[in-house]
């Protein structure tokens, strides 16, 4: 029997702890450390009556992973954009009042904030000039955070296209879960725009590993204010289709659609800073990650069929 050793780092708070990335991080923190992280979500808000909730007020590092926006929602629901901004401001104001100045990690976007006229791969020093409501919303969150550097030690993790098992298909966001759900149902996958456009896909477990690496640095020393987190590998939609076809065991029917206003042309990230500062690089190959996603989709479909069959026989 092995003894779990506490992860280095201090007290931790996760806002958005039941989300796709937040749930992975919370599970990793709980497994590796007897000090259970303070976990916040819609049911357990991090701020009440303007005051930081217990666990948030004492945190040495705060992960803000509460983003619920997709590109299409940002276009159509400005109220949700404003709600996300207000939540961030409330949390930062509450931390300022608590007076601890923790490390504050904001999950940003590496695919939507950089200037589209600049050729990728995008570095952290690439000019920012969003061309979509989603990109503007994400960059505005960064600005709100950096305006409060006196209250927190700010770090923005600009994430590329995060994927992994258990990711829910959200309209206008995350092509892979949509495609795999269509494949398991025997439906054609929908491809929007140019199939040769490239993206940068990074597995959620690799992202979690970076977030944990950040935690080891909170005791002191300089932290970069912005870090790109991606695979650093450009993959075209047609290339991703080939992987999905191979993993699912057959050719995938495709329905071609016109491009959408919020779809970016090719982009991927330069991740040299994450490597230099933290010794981090994405480790999970895309084909391996897609296979794990497909296995999860098959498991979920099997469970759903089992439940449906059991109900119908009652």
């Amino acid at each position: 029997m092995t003894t779990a050793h506490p992860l280095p780092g201090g007290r931790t708070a996760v806002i958005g702890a039941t989300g796709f990335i937040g749930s992975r991080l919370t599970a990793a923190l709980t497994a590796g450390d007897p000090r259970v992280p303070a976990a916040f979500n819609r049911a357990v808000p991090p701020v009440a009556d303007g005051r930081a909730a217990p666990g948030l007020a004492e945190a040495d590092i705060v992960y803000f992973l509460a983003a619920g926006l997709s590109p299409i929602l940002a276009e159509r629901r400005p109220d949700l954009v404003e709600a996300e901004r207000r939540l961030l401001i409330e949390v930062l104001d509450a931390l300022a009042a608590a007076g601890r100045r923790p490390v504050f990690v904001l999950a940003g976007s590496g695919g939507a904030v950089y200037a589209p006229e600049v050729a990728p791969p995008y570095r952290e020093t690439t000019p920012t000039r969003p061309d979509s409501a989603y990109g503007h919303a994400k960059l505005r969150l960064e600005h709100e955070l950096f305006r409060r550097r006196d209250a927190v030690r700010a770090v923005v993790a600009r994430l590329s296209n995060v994927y992994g098992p258990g990711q829910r298909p959200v309209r206008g966001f995350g092509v892979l879960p949509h495609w795999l759900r269509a494949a398991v149902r025997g439906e054609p996958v929908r491809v929007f725009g140019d199939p040769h456009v490239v993206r940068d896909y990074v597995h959620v477990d690799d992202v979690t590993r970076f977030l944990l690496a950040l935690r080891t640095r909170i005791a002191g020393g300089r932290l970069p204010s912005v870090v790109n987190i991606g695979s650093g590998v450009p993959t075209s939609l047609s290339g991703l289709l080939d992987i999905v076809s191979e993993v699912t065991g057959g050719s995938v029917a495709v329905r071609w659609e016109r491009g959408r206003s919020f779809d970016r042309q090719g982009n991927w990230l330069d991740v040299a800073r994450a490597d230099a500062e933290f010794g981090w690089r994405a480790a999970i190959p895309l084909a391996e990650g897609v296979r794990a996603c497909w296995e999860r989709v098959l498991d979920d479909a099997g469970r759903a069929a089992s439940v449906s069959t059991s109900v119908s026989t009652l």
Side-chain angles (χ1 to χ4, degrees), residues 1-241:
M1 181 177 177
T2 59
T3 302
H5 295 284
L7 292 168
R11 289 164 289 191
T12 307
V14 182
I15 301 172
T18 51
F20 177 51
I21 300 174
S23 60
R24 290 299 208 290
L25 176 61
T26 302
L29 290 166
T30 302
D33 198 325
R35 296 167 296 181
V36 177
F40 302 100
N41 53 29
R42 288 187 179 90
V44 185
V47 178
D49 298 324
R51 294 184 178 181
L56 177 63
E58 300 82 14
D60 299 301
I61 183 167
V62 178
Y63 296 97
F64 191 88
L65 308 173
L69 286 177
S70 68
I72 197 167
L73 281 178
E75 295 279 349
R76 299 180 179 180
R77 295 287 306 275
D79 59 311
L80 296 181
V81 173
E82 178 60 18
E84 192 167 293
R85 188 182 75 88
R86 287 304 315 166
L87 175 61
L88 177 64
I89 291 172
E90 288 175 3
V91 170
L92 292 172
D93 287 348
L95 288 171
R100 285 187 56 81
R101 199 169 183 263
V103 172
F104 192 98
V105 185
L106 173 68
S109 172
V113 301
Y114 291 115
E117 68 271 16
V118 178
Y122 296 133
R123 298 174 176 82
E124 292 86 353
T125 54
T126 299
T128 53
R129 193 181 66 77
D131 60 353
S132 67
Y134 180 74
H136 281 290
K138 289 298 184 181
L139 191 58
R140 190 177 184 187
L141 292 181
E142 292 189 17
H143 291 164
E144 296 288 2
L145 174 60
F146 291 139
R147 274 197 285 266
R148 291 164 176 79
R149 279 186 166 130
D150 58 334
V152 295
R153 295 168 63 194
V155 179
V156 176
R158 288 184 180 155
L159 309 178
S160 64
N161 295 61
V162 184
Y163 76 97
Q167 184 179 22
R168 295 184 298 107
V170 177
R171 189 179 180 189
F173 198 76
V175 63
L176 192 57
H178 288 279
W179 286 4
L180 294 180
R181 184 176 67 169
V184 81
R185 294 177 175 180
E187 300 170 353
V189 303
R190 302 171 70 191
V191 179
F192 292 89
D194 183 355
H196 301 295
V197 165
V198 298
R199 298 284 185 266
D200 184 332
Y201 300 95
V202 63
H203 197 283
V204 65
D205 289 348
D206 279 328
V207 174
T208 300
R209 190 164 49 82
F210 169 75
L211 296 174
L212 292 174
L214 260 177
R215 187 171 179 265
T216 67
R217 292 271 298 275
I218 65 176
R222 187 187 65 84
L223 287 170
S225 59
V226 177
V227 188
N228 283 341
I229 299 299
S231 69
V233 178
T235 301
S236 68
L237 288 176
S238 60
L240 184 61
L241 268 174

Side-chain angles (χ1 to χ4, degrees), residues 242-266:
D242 289 342
I243 293 173
V244 169
S245 180
E246 180 181 352
V247 163
T248 58
S251 61
V252 177
V254 178
R255 190 167 81 197
W256 303 100
E257 305 274 5
R258 295 177 59 185
R260 300 161 296 187
S261 61
F262 52 80
D263 287 325
R264 292 288 294 259
Q265 294 303 307

Side-chain angles (χ1 to χ4, degrees), residues 278-296:
F278 301 95
W280 179 93
R281 278 194 176 268
I284 300 174
L286 184 56
E288 178 184 323
V290 172
R291 186 172 299 280
C293 293
W294 177 240
E295 291 171 356
R296 175 65 177 270

